[in-house]
Amino acid sequence: MQTDLLCALIPLFPLIGFIINGFGFRRIPKSLAGAIATVAVLASFLTSCFLFGAFLGNANLTSTAGPLKAVLFDWISVGDLDISFSFQIDQLSLLMLLVVTGVGSLIHLYSIGYMKHDEGFGKFMAFLNLFVFFMLLLVMGSNYVIMFIGWEGVGLCSYLLIGFWNTNTNYNNAARKAFVMNRIGDLGFLLGIFWIINLFGTTEYTDVFKQATSLAIGDPEILAITLLLFVGAMGKSAQIPLYTWLPDAMAGPTPVSALIHAATMVTAGIYMVVRSNVLYTLSPLTLEIIGGIAIATALLAASIGLLQNDIKKVLAYSTVSQLGYMFLGLSVTAYTAGMFHVITHAFFKALLFLGAGSVIHAMSDEQDIRNMGGLRKSLPVTFITFLIGTIAISGLPPFAGFFSKDEILAHVFEHNKVLWALGVLGSALTSFYMFRLLFLTFFGEFRGTEEQRHHLHESPATMTAPLVFLAILSAAGGVLNLPGGGWLSDFMAPLFEGSRQVNPEAFAESTIDHSTEYILMAVSAGVALISGIIAYVMYVSRGAVPAPETTERSMPEQVVYNKYYVDEFYEAIIVRPIRGLGDALYSFGEFIIDGVVNGVAWLVRAGSNQLRLLQNGSIGFYVFAMVLSIVAIIALRFFVRF
Amino acid sequence: MLTLALILFPAVAATLLLFVNGETSRTLAFGAALLELALAAYVFVGFVPDAKTQFAFDYPWIGSLGIRFSAGVDGISLLLVLLTGLLTPFIVLSTFNRNYSRASVFYALMLYMQAALMGVFTARDGFLFYLFFEAALIPIYFLAAMWGGENRIPVTFKFFVYTIFGSLFMLVALVYLYYQTGPINGAPHSSAITDFYNLKLTPTAQGWVFWAFFIAFAIKMPIFPFHTWQPDTYVESPTPATMLLAGIMLKMGVYGLIRFILPIVPIGVEAWGTTAIILSVIGIVYGSIIAIRQQDMKRLIAYSSFSHVGLMAAGVFSQTETGLQGALVQMLAHGINVVGMFFIADVIFSRTNTLQLDQLGGITKTTPKLTVYFMIMLLGSVALPLTNGFVGEFLLLHGVFTFNHYLGLAAGFTIIFGAVYMLRMFQKSMFGASSTRTESFADLTGSESWVLLPLAIMVFWIGIYPVSFLKVTEPAVVNLMKYIGTTAVSLK
């Protein structure tokens, strides 16, 4: 009972925050609105911590007793289908809860400083709270439909926040693109849910997974279900072919990019796969497909990141690429490693975005790194924390990213050497574009205008404090799961009982010995280091600056710079044909159908005009017709009995 | 007995209204509609969730022929009675800032319409149903023809003739069914709908009856390709009439499918249901693709409504419990959303004199209230979870998906295209830079807010706690599934 209440409180706090700020917008002063929103998320964080502590303290729960459930009420109930509004607290939801509310609190705090001068401040904080509410539903739901509520809800908030500055048509288009692309994924997710309902008769995780353990590996229905669910994940977690919305989503205010488009929402796809790990373990083919898509996404996005000049776009492509790494881990059933990377990525990518926000703030809304440079003197805190974030994401020891990425790559190595090599290549690209970004922004000479130079300043404490917190986490996050059986692996192990049962081989002890493991670590760290040094030589020693827009580029460079023309390709093969079809159906299709209807009406009228002639008023003709009819009827009766 | 009151009260009130002049008539009409709402709410609350017909009455009409004046409320009628009761007062209220000439006639026609609709949704006799089905057409015809736009005369005439034409097929089917029943209670035949349920018709006969009913209902809803009367009629009618049409009247068609086609001709449905469901799904995609390209808000909403109704029909023909329950809930939800949407269009038109999207924009700057209500109605329309549209669409799509996976996928495109055209409409009208027409756009007035507030509450009520509606319809749906019998596809 008490835990039911606690569970309900966690999403309730941000919901209340949303309602207060939503209704009180323009009446509540900014300082109060900011405080309300931040405290709401902080309260959820503290409640989550309390639940986490209780969970750890309760040995029964962590081992065999199964997850804790809080049923609030019956939501949709039709015949045998019963979908309750209920939450499930287990290792996975607790981890996500802590990340979402923890990082969320810091970003709320940061937003107070970042959005201070915006007239829509209260509305902004309300939307952020609403986002946290839906994100919490997503990770706490005890069945797929509650997850779907959160899933679509965060999509809505993402829409509202990307298009927050809604007088700008480009921003609005970006917001709409994000929502629609996510909806394509959502359709897959929804159909997956239907299939689950028809196969298992329920959507409750515990019941579904229990029944699933009795199925054989490679079951075709499970293949279909997992693929459909993964379509949903592709949309939300920006994988090929549904990734192009995420870079555009950078139109939103920077805290939004940090919270929604880096740390939390975009990892929902990984959460979903880990949550459904039994189903995915049952379907090796799906995992192969995920692996292929993941590595392709990781490399494609990283390569685009190499040439981008917008500080947020670089980070956006980096996010797409890192999400690819997470899926890569999942594809070799390294679920823990995938989740580990979700957590460390939440730390360092939120840090990098917030750092970028601090830079943009200082540069009077300048986002082009070609106009930055030398900022480390005027933004010391931002610089140090950004440096830590860069080292973390590049996979240099001993910061967080090294451990999580290394764990993924080690598992991939066992599974498939080619994938591993590609993964290391991606790692090299990551390190290069990140250090390029760092050097162009913080080193060398200042390249902005005189006015910008004059205005340069370190951000206020509400903004730097979250940076420092996140920098500490990014630096030390690796201790969560040190190589050779860390805390996280032990903690999450019960989640994969079902998977272990259906496919023990996939969870067998690692076959690679320690020396190989060390060599792998050294290779990935070494490659990252070399990339970083190359970037140093190019952008610091030689002081190179990316060419302005107008420069002629070589053919391959041109293609990469324009993001492989994928947006243009979609425009040509999907958007325009649908528009054309809409016009054609409206003008031509409707014309034909209506023509048939009118034609029928015309036939009736023409026919009745002819029939009218029969009524000519001549008695003789009537008698004649009558006699003829009677003869006809008698004759008919003679031939046919009726 | 209460059912009789539901039908008679608005009719009597309407007749009295004809003797009142001018302004007071709308206040009185609003009062009468509110009383009717109270009555409908009382019926909803007092309804015992089982499969029986309640609050019924039954008088001989043409006694010697076994045709009776009998009506009552069961689980399938209930939500539609509630919908009719709920929407009418707010449709009346929506006109409070507008001036219509010959006001007393205008409002009397709306109440007559309500009476006829109540009759349609509660009739227990086939011929009585037919009577109300046709009677409902008369007030709406005059509303559209007398107060409509420039092009109203040919458009409404086409609408009138087209739907009458469809109903004739139904009349033929009803007469045929009537003659198939045996002697009951001293009368040679019976036209009670439940007696039709027990007929054992031959497969061939079932096929014919299926098509006779289907054409009548398909024109009414409308289902592709019987829809061409609809967009013009919606655009040309005065907005309150459009609301009545889209919000309530088209549900007569869906209701008819559930009340007549499924239980009376199950073998006909087995034979032709796939054709019907394919037409419905074509309508979903066809309507939404056209909606994407519309410039006129009213026409856009008309096509979106056409698309949504296609999904309801598809759900019904899926012959699954989820499909049927989904259709019932979605009728309620769609009524609320579409009335909200048309009203918002009306609000915008009243201030800017245009509904062309390229002439709007930037409205949100001065209108926090309108923006929020518009957004809520939009979310309901695009079926975001926790709004009313989701519950219906989720169940409907599950029904269609269970019937056939590919049709489920095709029908599912509604959630993508729905987002495309709705967000486009919202963005083009509310966001971006102001145009000369929208520069000094005034936010909602008091009475306008009072129209949208109850609708918004319903959006969330149905979305968050749909069980209060699903539970009352369930026994009736389960009962209906028995008639569908052999072809039923149930869970697992």
Side-chain angles (χ1 to χ4, degrees):
Chain A
M1 185 55 221
Q2 200 202 355
T3 37
D4 281 16
L5 185 70
L6 282 178
C7 290
L9 277 180
I10 295 175
L12 198 62
F13 286 127
L15 183 65
I16 292 172
F18 162 69
I19 291 171
I20 294 176
N21 275 333
F23 278 101
F25 172 50
R26 287 185 194 178
R27 282 186 287 272
I28 299 177
K30 283 180 179 177
S31 53
L32 185 60
I36 290 170
T38 311
V39 167
V41 181
L42 195 64
S44 296
F45 176 64
L46 295 176
T47 318
S48 307
C49 287
F50 180 80
L51 260 185
F52 184 64
F55 193 84
L56 282 184
N58 195 338
N60 288 332
L61 289 175
T62 43
S63 57
T64 51
L68 212 109
K69 270 202 199 178
V71 182
L72 300 187
F73 55 89
D74 268 352
W75 185 38
I76 295 177
S77 154
V78 171
D80 306 333
L81 175 64
D82 213 339
I83 299 162
S84 58
F85 205 103
S86 54
F87 297 140
Q88 170 169 333
I89 297 298
D90 62 0
Q91 292 84 352
L92 184 57
S93 48
L94 277 171
L95 285 174
M96 289 302 285
L97 277 181
L98 290 174
V99 171
V100 171
T101 55
V103 177
S105 303
L106 291 173
I107 295 174
H108 275 68
L109 180 64
Y110 178 93
S111 303
I112 295 178
Y114 190 82
M115 297 295 287
K116 196 169 59 189
H117 302 295
D118 198 287
E119 56 175 336
F121 180 81
K123 190 170 71 168
F124 181 80
M125 295 314 273
F127 286 167
L128 279 190
N129 270 189
L130 185 67
F131 167 77
V132 173
F133 165 72
F134 278 120
M135 193 66 209
L136 292 173
L137 287 191
L138 196 161
V139 299
M140 289 177 76
S142 78
N143 61 55
Y144 282 102
V145 191
I146 304 295
M147 196 205 288
F148 193 74
I149 300 180
W151 195 269
E152 290 242 293
V154 292
L156 167 71
C157 297
S158 165
Y159 166 79
L160 292 171
L161 286 163
I162 295 169
F164 184 73
W165 289 307
N166 61 38
T167 44
N168 184 320
T169 303
N170 287 338
Y171 294 179
N172 292 329
N173 289 343
R176 198 148 53 100
K177 180 175 176 183
F179 194 83
V180 170
M181 264 201 166
N182 270 291
R183 273 251 153 152
I184 297 173
D186 293 357
L187 175 58
F189 189 178
L190 199 60
L191 297 181
I193 294 177
F194 293 156
W195 208 312
I196 288 174
I197 291 174
N198 289 353
L199 183 62
F200 298 108
T202 174
T203 57
E204 286 292 316
Y205 300 140
T206 43
D207 300 340
V208 170
F209 302 146
K210 204 164 158 194
Q211 290 182 50
T213 47
S214 60
L215 296 172
I217 288 187
D219 186 287
E221 291 208 68
I222 295 292
L223 172 68
I225 290 172
T226 48
L227 283 176
L228 285 171
L229 292 183
F230 183 64
V231 172
M234 280 196 264
K236 196 107 301 183
S237 296
Q239 297 296 293
I240 293 174
L242 299 179
Y243 70 96
T244 57
W245 66 270
L246 185 57
D248 288 15
M250 295 302 120
T254 308
V256 172
S257 313
L259 178 63
I260 302 184
H261 304 120
T264 56
M265 182 184 88
V266 290
T267 59
I270 289 96
Y271 165 80
M272 182 224 263
V273 174
V274 176
R275 176 55 83 195
S276 323
N277 65 78
V278 181
L279 304 182
Y280 281 91
T281 309
L282 276 170
S283 182
L285 181 56
T286 313
L287 290 178
E288 296 288 333
I289 294 169
I290 293 179
I293 290 176
I295 192 70
T297 310
L299 290 176
L300 181 94
S303 69
I304 298 175
L306 294 176
L307 294 182
Q308 291 298 303
N309 294 322
D310 179 314
I311 186 167
K312 285 180 74 182
K313 285 274 164 75
V314 176
L315 292 175
Y317 281 105
S318 156
T319 304
V320 176
S321 169
Q322 295 300 311
L323 291 166
Y325 274 102
M326 296 172 206
F327 280 114
L328 188 64
L330 303 185
S331 76
V332 293
T333 67
Y335 300 121
T336 309
M339 263 312 283
F340 186 27
H341 203 53
V342 167
I343 296 169
T344 58
H345 179 259
F347 296 154
F348 59 67
K349 192 52 73 63
L351 167 63
L352 290 168
F353 266 115
L354 295 185
S358 178
V359 169
I360 296 167
H361 196 69
M363 293 284 297
S364 320
D365 294 331
E366 175 66 73
Q367 296 191 188
D368 193 325
I369 48 177
R370 284 171 296 198
N371 301 331
M372 295 179 182
L375 297 182
R376 68 178 188 279
K377 290 161 218 136
S378 28
L379 301 171
V381 182
T382 308
F383 166 64
I384 300 284
T385 51
F386 202 91
L387 175 67
I388 293 171
T390 305
I391 298 175
I393 192 177
S394 303
L396 292 173
F399 289 0
F402 168 73
F403 293 99
S404 53
K405 196 183 285 182
D406 187 69
E407 200 178 322
I408 290 174
L409 288 177
H411 281 95
V412 173
F413 182 79
E414 255 180 281
H415 190 80
N416 186 329
K417 307 280 183 295
V418 178
L419 272 187
W420 175 81
L422 291 171
V424 172
L425 171 66
S427 182
L429 297 179
T430 307
S431 173
F432 181 82
Y433 67 67
M434 280 312 303
F435 277 103
R436 169 180 177 268
L437 183 65
L438 179 83
F439 294 142
L440 283 172
T441 309
F442 292 100
F443 286 74
E445 288 303 310
F446 185 71
R447 297 181 295 272
T449 60
E450 222 20 67
E451 207 183 330
Q452 284 170 329
R453 183 202 297 278
H454 187 68
H455 181 257
L456 279 181
H457 61 280
E458 181 58 283
S459 301
T462 49
M463 287 168 71
T464 48
L467 290 179
V468 173
F469 268 112
L470 287 169
I472 295 170
L473 290 169
S474 303
V479 298
L480 282 177
N481 206 25
L482 293 170
W487 172 82
L488 193 67
S489 305
D490 296 339
F491 180 66
M492 289 183 72
L495 289 169
F496 311 120
E497 270 314 312
S499 289
R500 211 184 297 272
Q501 212 176 316
V502 297
N503 188 359
E505 283 163 37
F507 290 87
E509 277 298 303
S510 168
T511 48
I512 45 177
D513 51 36
H514 281 297
S515 56
T516 327
E517 212 176 317
Y518 289 132
I519 293 172
L520 289 180
M521 275 187 203
V523 168
S524 58
V527 162
L529 188 64
I530 292 168
S531 284
I533 292 170
I534 296 173
Y536 184 83
V537 172
M538 280 178 74
Y539 296 105
V540 180
S541 305
R542 298 198 189 151
V545 176
E549 293 303 311
T550 47
T551 334
E552 286 277 320
R553 284 167 220 276
S554 65
M555 189 56 195
E557 202 187 353
Q558 182 77 12
V559 171
V560 176
Y561 189 70
N562 286 298
K563 307 147 200 165
Y564 298 98
Y565 296 101
V566 174
D567 278 317
E568 288 78 0
F569 178 66
Y570 287 169
E571 174 86 17
I573 66 156
I574 297 169
V575 179
R576 264 192 247 134
I578 287 183
R579 281 194 200 138
L581 186 63
D583 287 337
L585 291 180
Y586 181 56
S587 48
F588 195 62
E590 292 286 89
F591 178 75
I592 300 233
I593 295 170
D594 205 32
V596 172
V597 172
N598 292 338
V600 170
W602 181 84
L603 274 180
V604 170
R605 214 166 58 186
S608 53
N609 273 338
Q610 295 303 312
L611 285 172
R612 207 179 56 186
L613 299 177
L614 290 175
Q615 281 184 329
N616 57 5
S618 152
I619 306 289
F621 176 75
Y622 290 164
V623 172
F624 172 70
M626 200 169 84
V627 172
L628 206 66
S629 308
I630 291 170
V631 171
I633 290 170
I634 292 172
L636 245 145
R637 273 216 84 133
F638 186 76
F639 292 111
V640 198
R641 281 183 59 92
F642 59 86
Chain B
M1 280 314 293
L2 266 179
T3 310
L4 189 60
L6 278 174
I7 301 171
L8 282 186
F9 176 71
V12 171
T15 312
L16 293 176
L17 212 58
L18 288 172
F19 299 100
V20 180
N21 271 334
E23 294 287 291
T24 42
S25 62
R26 71 178 170 205
T27 321
L28 288 176
F30 180 58
L34 274 185
L35 276 176
E36 177 82 350
L37 169 59
L39 213 56
Y42 181 79
V43 165
F44 180 72
V45 174
F47 184 85
V48 185
D50 61 26
K52 292 198 189 69
T53 304
Q54 298 164 33
F55 310 104
F57 68 90
D58 182 36
Y59 305 111
W61 180 18
I62 312 174
S64 59
L65 295 180
I67 299 175
R68 303 183 68 82
F69 197 77
S70 74
V73 177
D74 69 355
I76 294 167
S77 310
L78 186 67
L79 292 191
L80 290 158
V81 167
L82 182 68
L83 177 73
T84 313
L86 180 76
L87 289 184
T88 315
F90 299 107
I91 295 174
V92 172
L93 186 63
S94 79
T95 63
F96 271 41
N97 286 5
R98 324 275 179 271
N99 277 314
Y100 289 98
S101 57
R102 283 160 298 176
S104 57
V105 182
F106 184 82
Y107 292 106
L109 285 171
M110 288 173 74
L111 291 183
Y112 280 128
M113 175 87 185
Q114 187 182 27
L117 290 164
M118 284 290 184
V120 168
F121 296 136
T122 56
R124 312 290 304 155
D125 182 282
F127 290 114
L128 188 64
F129 174 85
Y130 182 76
L131 175 83
F132 284 126
F133 196 83
E134 298 296 42
L137 202 53
I138 297 162
I140 198 74
Y141 172 75
F142 282 111
L143 281 172
M146 291 170 71
W147 287 272
E150 278 172 27
N151 216 0
R152 63 189 184 274
I153 299 298
V155 166
T156 43
F157 180 73
K158 178 174 183 175
F159 157 64
F160 191 78
V161 172
Y162 203 165
T163 45
I164 286 270
F165 172 79
S167 315
L168 285 178
F169 289 94
M170 175 167 73
L171 182 62
V172 172
L174 285 171
V175 171
Y176 174 80
L177 291 172
Y178 170 74
Y179 277 110
Q180 299 303 307
T181 56
I184 294 169
N185 299 337
H189 298 288
S190 160
S191 55
I193 297 175
T194 41
D195 289 331
F196 292 165
Y197 287 4
N198 297 321
L199 292 175
K200 297 275 177 278
L201 301 179
T202 63
T204 325
Q206 295 216 5
W208 286 104
V209 173
F210 174 90
W211 280 105
F213 275 120
F214 180 76
I215 288 179
F217 299 139
I219 292 174
K220 204 70 160 193
M221 291 207 292
I223 291 178
F224 180 88
F226 303 101
H227 65 276
T228 48
W229 62 268
Q230 189 214 31
D232 288 338
T233 310
Y234 281 16
V235 172
E236 291 298 330
S237 299
T239 307
T242 312
M243 292 178 188
L244 284 171
L245 270 169
I248 317 177
M249 196 170 174
L250 65 80
K251 273 72 182 186
M252 289 170 29
V254 187
Y255 174 80
L257 299 180
I258 300 174
R259 177 66 78 200
F260 287 89
I261 293 191
L262 287 193
I264 295 177
V265 288
I267 301 173
V269 174
E270 200 173 0
W272 294 107
T274 311
T275 313
I277 211 169
I278 288 173
L279 287 179
S280 310
V281 171
I282 291 176
I284 297 172
V285 180
Y286 182 93
S288 43
I289 288 185
I290 290 184
I292 292 174
R293 296 299 284 165
Q294 293 311 303
Q295 281 300 323
D296 181 292
M297 279 181 81
K298 251 177 134 181
R299 198 170 284 272
L300 193 158
I301 302 167
Y303 275 105
S304 94
S305 172
F306 165 48
S307 164
H308 285 141
V309 176
L311 183 56
M312 292 179 218
V316 171
F317 284 115
S318 76
Q319 306 165 61
T320 55
E321 202 176 335
T322 43
L324 280 172
Q325 284 275 39
L328 288 173
V329 171
Q330 187 69 348
M331 279 197 266
L332 185 62
H334 174 263
I336 290 161
N337 296 339
V338 84
V339 165
M341 277 293 182
F342 275 123
F343 181 58
I344 285 161
D346 194 47
V347 166
I348 292 176
F349 187 78
S350 72
R351 286 156 172 73
T352 61
N353 255 320
T354 183
L355 285 173
Q356 298 298 312
L357 289 174
D358 49 8
Q359 298 185 21
L360 298 170
I363 294 177
T364 185
K365 273 181 237 165
T366 52
T367 59
K369 280 191 234 164
L370 177 67
T371 309
V372 171
Y373 282 121
F374 195 172
M375 187 43 104
I376 290 172
M377 291 301 152
L378 182 144
L379 295 179
S381 301
V382 303
L384 198 89
L386 299 187
T387 66
N388 58 359
F390 177 73
V391 181
E393 278 198 9
F394 180 79
L395 294 172
L396 286 165
L397 286 173
H398 175 262
V400 180
F401 183 78
T402 308
F403 182 83
N404 178 299
H405 290 173
Y406 297 103
L407 284 174
L409 172 67
F413 276 105
T414 183
I415 75 164
I416 300 170
F417 292 142
V420 175
Y421 60 72
M422 280 295 170
L423 291 181
R424 173 176 166 271
M425 175 167 79
F426 190 78
Q427 179 183 330
K428 295 229 167 192
S429 56
M430 304 301 284
F431 290 162
S434 310
S435 74
T436 46
R437 287 174 186 266
T438 60
E439 258 166 3
S440 51
F441 198 101
D443 205 354
L444 296 176
T445 64
S447 74
E448 286 170 339
S449 296
W450 277 107
V451 175
L452 287 166
L453 180 66
L455 298 179
I457 290 173
M458 289 302 288
V459 166
F460 289 117
W461 181 10
I462 302 173
I464 294 171
Y465 201 67
V467 172
S468 43
F469 303 93
L470 291 169
K471 277 282 176 259
V472 292
T473 58
E474 179 149 23
V477 170
V478 170
N479 189 45
L480 194 73
M481 294 297 289
K482 279 189 223 146
Y483 291 102
I484 301 172
T486 51
T487 58
V489 193
S490 76
L491 276 175
K492 283 198 87 179

